[in-house]
Amino acid sequence: MSGQSNIYFQIDTIRQKGWPAIHSFSYGALDGTVFLVGGRKDGIHEKKSGFSRKENNRFLYMWKPSSGTIDSLELSFIPDSLGDALSAAGTSFVQLDQYLIIVGGYGENAQSEFVTYPSLVVLDLSRAADSTAWLDILRPAARQLIHPRFAVAGGQLGILNGRFFLAGGNKFEGRYDDNSGLVKQEYTDKVSIFELNIGQDSVQFTLISEIKDEFNFHRRDFNMVPFVFEDGSTDLMLFSGVFLINENRPFFNIARLNESGYTDIPSFSHFLANYHCAKLGIFERGLNVMHQYFFGGMAEYAPDGSGSLIRDPLVPFVKTISSVVRKADGTYEERHQDIGMPGFLGTNSELILMPQVPVMEGDKAIIDLDKISSDSLVIGYIFGGIFNPTDEPNPWVKDRASATMANPYLLEVRMRKGPLSYQTNPTGNKTVFPKIMISEQPGGGRFNVRVETEDWKDLS
């Protein structure tokens, strides 16, 4: 910890009029507007059902964080093939310039079939806000490509050097059931590397290569992000995810991915964020230290107040704010913030940075910390995702999954630099979060004392 910035986050819960409560969606941003499409309006699925068409999000939402306005566009009047794909949950997506690229996803289609869509859609955000674009046959805002390679749910899509990396995920056919013997499910066990040629009214892809590995890529619902390594290069990093090939547990290894293949990060296990959740990369250029933060979500382990970990093999909801830190010498450690999320939040959510936040040149997903002089800055919002309002970290245990919901709140994220302590490499057996935070004010001599509670605070 010595010599490294002590970064921590304050999460404030707010309501916004007209907010579309959805989770497991795709999103992109352009010129101050955030576009949200697909996903689900309900909470976490039951063990024996879920993903019905009636709870699909069948709108394209356009949100302006600066003004708080939200507009929407129905998808019901576009062809079923495109409309079904754009309303899917668990899609893989990434943004390239003004284009939002959306792959696969799972759900019930217009023919009442439960399918993983063999679809790649390119949505031109520069034209998507114009509702007439959907009716313009010559210059559509959306281009769709149908190919079995894109039938992936719960995977991740990234970009390196203009090429796309579709990693992990599975193909699920038929109505959802947690009994794998009753459904047809196939993990991709691979990464597909391809290029896209986006035309005025079409899109074509060229497969460059395929990396097969049934151990590393037999994972879904994980996080994959651009990550700065100790040699200064930026590649993709795969974190945790579910499930191991011969055991119903998360992956704990993390792996570096580029066109040459993948490399496991040795002597490191990722315990505190095992499922897709809101995340944030921060790079300290002067110290050559990379931080990857994870907000809430689900995990097999959670910290207690003494710096230890408690294990729950059911991989429940957690409130942990944690980070994986790559130090200047190339070694890694996992940390967690003493104060967590204000509730069981973060699962299948996203984080959008504000335009004023400095980011790395060539990669808008990573904050350039050396360019931030303020000790306190609102960096953005966590939006969407699943909210578990119960006191049960695993609501399935007492048949309370139906009490969960798509998160109806926005979470304002304030980044602070200061003396809040972090715990490193914890182990243990219970969960209690501290209630008081004490920090010294700039200039010394005075202290701020803030009392935190674990209770959910409804700010409506």
Side-chain angles (χ1 to χ4, degrees), residues 124 127 132-134 136-143 200-201:
D124 186 344
R127 304 192 68 244
T132 62
W134 295 97
D136 187 341
I137 297 175
L138 297 178
R139 298 178 62 196
R143 304 126 166 98
Q200 189 67 18
D201 58 358

Side-chain angles (χ1 to χ4, degrees), residues 4-262:
Q4 297 178 17
S5 295
N6 208 351
I7 307 163
Y8 67 99
F9 298 93
Q10 175 183 330
I11 311 296
D12 291 324
T13 309
I14 60 177
R15 276 192 180 272
Q16 180 167 324
K17 184 178 180 180
W19 179 249
I22 55 176
H23 67 84
S24 307
F25 53 91
S26 301
Y27 89 96
L30 187 69
D31 298 333
T33 298
V34 182
F35 299 81
L36 300 86
V37 65
R40 310 232 8 111
K41 300 181 294 182
D42 51 5
I44 199 164
H45 58 80
E46 300 281 355
K47 289 289 189 181
K48 300 294 180 182
S49 64
F51 305 98
S52 66
R53 186 176 177 81
K54 70 177 182 178
E55 296 296 343
N56 290 355
N57 168 38
R58 299 189 61 78
F59 287 85
L60 170 67
Y61 290 101
M62 292 156 283
W63 166 43
K64 294 184 181 295
S66 60
S67 63
T69 59
I70 299 173
D71 296 314
S72 62
L73 179 65
E74 285 192 67
L75 305 179
S76 58
F77 53 82
I78 61 177
D80 286 343
S81 173
L82 180 58
D84 286 341
L86 286 176
S87 65
T91 52
S92 305
F93 66 95
V94 73
Q95 185 171 344
L96 176 64
D97 300 325
Q98 79 268 31
Y99 299 114
L100 175 60
I101 294 92
I102 304 171
V103 170
Y106 173 77
E108 183 182 12
N109 65 18
Q111 290 73 45
S112 301
E113 301 166 328
F114 288 83
V115 299
T116 301
Y117 297 104
S119 168
L120 182 147
V121 176
V122 176
L123 185 61
D124 186 344
L125 301 182
S126 67
R127 304 192 68 244
D130 179 6
S131 61
T132 62
W134 295 97
L135 305 178
D136 187 341
I137 297 175
L138 297 178
R139 298 178 62 196
R143 304 126 166 98
Q144 186 178 30
L145 190 157
I146 302 297
H147 192 280
R149 182 170 294 273
F150 302 125
V152 177
Q156 286 281 296
L157 186 62
I159 302 177
L160 279 179
N161 303 317
R163 289 181 169 175
F164 295 85
F165 291 68
L166 178 60
N170 67 346
K171 181 180 180 181
F172 202 97
E173 299 297 328
R175 187 182 296 272
Y176 179 82
D177 193 293
D178 68 330
N179 185 340
S180 59
L182 299 179
V183 297
K184 183 179 180 182
Q185 179 181 203
E186 179 182 359
Y187 282 76
T188 70
D189 296 338
K190 67 186 177 185
V191 174
S192 296
I193 304 174
F194 59 93
E195 293 179 344
L196 290 179
N197 181 9
I198 302 172
Q200 189 67 18
D201 58 358
S202 65
V203 58
Q204 296 177 324
F205 89 102
T206 301
L207 181 67
I208 303 301
S209 64
E210 182 180 278
I211 305 171
K212 290 281 289 187
D213 187 298
E214 66 179 2
F215 297 103
N216 232 321
F217 303 127
H218 188 85
R219 68 179 86 190
R220 60 175 171 83
D221 300 318
F222 57 100
N223 295 295
M224 184 175 77
V225 298
F227 194 90
V228 182
F229 291 84
E230 59 270 20
D231 61 1
S233 62
T234 299
D235 287 335
L236 298 172
M237 184 79 94
L238 284 79
F239 293 91
S240 197
V242 294
F243 288 101
L244 293 174
I245 191 168
N246 293 319
E247 190 176 3
N248 198 29
R249 296 188 67 191
F251 287 80
F252 294 123
N253 73 308
I254 64 176
R256 178 177 184 172
L257 174 65
N258 56 33
E259 290 184 53
S260 299
Y262 71 91

Side-chain angles (χ1 to χ4, degrees), residues 46-47 390 392 394-404:
E46 300 281 355
K47 289 289 189 181
T390 77
E392 295 286 344
N394 195 321
W396 283 304
V397 172
K398 296 183 179 179
D399 295 323
R400 299 179 69 184
S402 60
T404 66

